[in-house]
Amino acid sequence: MADPTGTRQRPQTRAGAQLYGLLPAVYRDRDNASPEDTGDLAKFLDAAGLLLDQIRATLDQRLADAFPDNPPQGEACQSWLLPYFAQSLDVRLVSPEADGQRDEVAYAVRWRQRKGTLAVVEQIAQAVSQTEVEIQEGWRRVAMTARIGTPVLPAVAFGEPDVAPRTPAGFAAQPGLPAVTVDMRQTSGAMRIDDRSHPMARISRFGDQTVVWRQAHPRGAPCRPNSYQDVSLRTPDMRTASWREGHMHPRRILLYVPPWHGFFDPDWANRAVGDVQLSDLLPPDQPPVLEDVIVDGTLTVDVDDAVLRRCAVRELVVARAAAEETRVITAEDCLFQRVRVKHGTAQLVYCTVLEIAAFERVNASDCLFAGRLIIVGSDRQSCIRYSRIPPDAPLGKLRLYAGSGETNTRDLPVFNQTPVCESRDDRRVPGWEPSRFGQSGCGVLHPATPASIARGAEDGGEMGAYHHRHHRLREDAVLEKLHDYLPVGLEAVVIPDAHLHQIPPGETIIVDEDGS
């Protein structure tokens, strides 16, 4: 008999659906034969299926706990077991991410067998940081005087055609020649190819795509200087290595990493545009907790004791009437451009406010107030600890937690920047400006940020909204891990490179007039 209501009651659990499907069709039809029948048989099998699913999940997790790796699908080993596996293999875990620690354990033997090779250095850097890393050897970037009689690899070893004319101009295009002056007739940069067997082929991930590429015209003028695509030779840089200097040195290993997107990943889909109320974004009959949402507008809190977790909001407004000691909003790991809490107490933990933060009373821990901080409360003092506060903050209304010493800082934060073009005297002049709300990298700390902010949280991590993503801790963990795998005397340097977000262009084929 057909279902008169148009909807058939079916089990929601995996095992319950399997049991329901094994029954003869006559029993399934009777279970939904009339409006009075509410699928009691399906509900009964669903109850049994719930227990069977829990038993199955326990067995699957028990099996996964025996393999400390990152499986392509299915359950992974629980993170609390990783220190025990590491102790049995004598592995020192340094990655702040559970996936990175699994790779440290899973590849420990392989890395030791190939210790000191460039391939292992790249694998370790990518596993510990859980991001793409491109590597250059510093000694290859150092200018050296060519000596007569020194053999030079043929051009075919670099995937280039042999030099046809045996003239000075022709030999200038030889990719194996250690020439310092670049060949201005050609441009050097990454080129996407399809041939994985090419002598200079490399495989990298750009976003969510895996690309095969090679360095085109190594002795040409670099298209993107100071990036992973720049292989031009320079004089040795004797300065102490940092993210911006000291790279061209025989004792350096250069690790180019893409800057972190932050909340505004290009593939992020859970986004609300415009002015909204918090109650409109909450599931029905659920606690007032909003998680992992971007609001590109004004978010008005119209519920009591609201909680925001891992959210990015252009402007947060709490205007509901409340006593000064009443907690009206709790935010954890959130990014705001502006915050206005007119009444009550706001509690912020690991949050970043880019511009104005105005409260009647606030209790903040491990937060970053980059703009103005306004406190309008009169009686009760606000408490701020392990945070960055602006120099003009109303200290008379703040109780700054000191503990064993000063835990707050007034140092100026430096955020990731976006390339822009400014109009000056009818000319377009390239420049840089901090990423705005909604742009990739907004609120992400730049490597030039003082250590008092980048490592100023209570647990030694970074202050602000990206504390839970461990941006700076990942970079530190890579350098710490490589100490055990690099040859004595070599030093690794992490260099942010925005060009790793862009897929290299494909090969350009030039067709002559005769069609050849």
Side-chain angles (χ1 to χ4, degrees), residues 68 78-91 93 105:
Q78 299 179 79
S79 58
W80 66 270
L81 290 171
L82 294 176
Y84 296 97
F85 286 109
Q87 186 177 12
S88 63
L89 295 174
D90 192 23
V91 175
L93 299 178
V105 175

Side-chain angles (χ1 to χ4, degrees), residues 118-119 122-123 126 131-135 190-215 228 256 500 503-504:
L118 202 62
E122 185 171 359
Q123 291 174 7
Q126 293 181 159
T131 188
E132 182 64 29
V133 178
E134 285 301 323
I135 292 185
M191 177 184 296
R192 191 172 67 253
I193 61 176
D194 297 327
D195 184 12
R196 296 194 176 207
S197 62
H198 192 281
M200 302 296 289
R202 301 196 61 175
I203 302 176
S204 305
R205 289 190 62 83
F206 296 85
D208 58 349
Q209 299 187 37
T210 301
V211 176
V212 183
W213 63 279
R214 71 178 180 91
Q215 186 73 31
Y228 79 99
Y256 292 92
L500 284 171
I503 298 179

Side-chain angles (χ1 to χ4, degrees), residues 436-459:
R436 300 176 181 176
F437 190 91
Q439 295 179 336
S440 174
C442 177
V444 176
L445 296 181
H446 190 271
T449 302
S452 58
I453 297 176
R455 299 171 181 84
E458 185 176 10
D459 60 358

Side-chain angles (χ1 to χ4, degrees), residues 372-498:
R372 296 186 59 193
L373 177 59
I374 303 173
I375 308 293
V376 298
S378 56
D379 298 332
R380 296 176 178 268
Q381 284 187 325
S382 298
C383 181
I384 298 182
R385 61 195 295 271
Y386 294 97
S387 300
R388 190 270 171 180
I389 57 177
D392 59 349
L395 300 181
K397 296 181 179 181
L398 295 177
R399 186 172 75 252
L400 303 179
Y401 174 80
S404 59
E406 178 61 42
T407 63
N408 298 289
T409 181
R410 294 174 178 82
D411 292 339
L412 187 66
V414 182
F415 297 112
N416 273 5
Q417 297 181 329
T418 302
V420 296
C421 284
E422 302 177 357
S423 297
R424 296 179 183 176
D425 300 330
D426 298 330
R427 294 182 300 114
R428 302 291 288 177
V429 180
W432 296 83
E433 67 176 15
S435 300
R436 300 176 181 176
F437 190 91
Q439 295 179 336
S440 174
C442 177
V444 176
L445 296 181
H446 190 271
T449 302
S452 58
I453 297 176
R455 299 171 181 84
E458 185 176 10
D459 60 358
E462 65 182 75
M463 297 178 180
Y466 299 110
H467 179 274
H468 67 291
R469 300 196 179 186
H470 311 117
H471 291 163
R472 302 306 297 270
L473 289 180
R474 294 194 208 185
E475 298 173 2
D476 294 343
V478 169
L479 301 179
E480 183 179 356
K481 189 73 173 181
L482 289 180
H483 274 303
D484 300 334
Y485 290 87
L486 285 176
V488 177
L490 289 187
E491 179 184 3
V493 186
V494 177
I495 308 169
D497 185 3

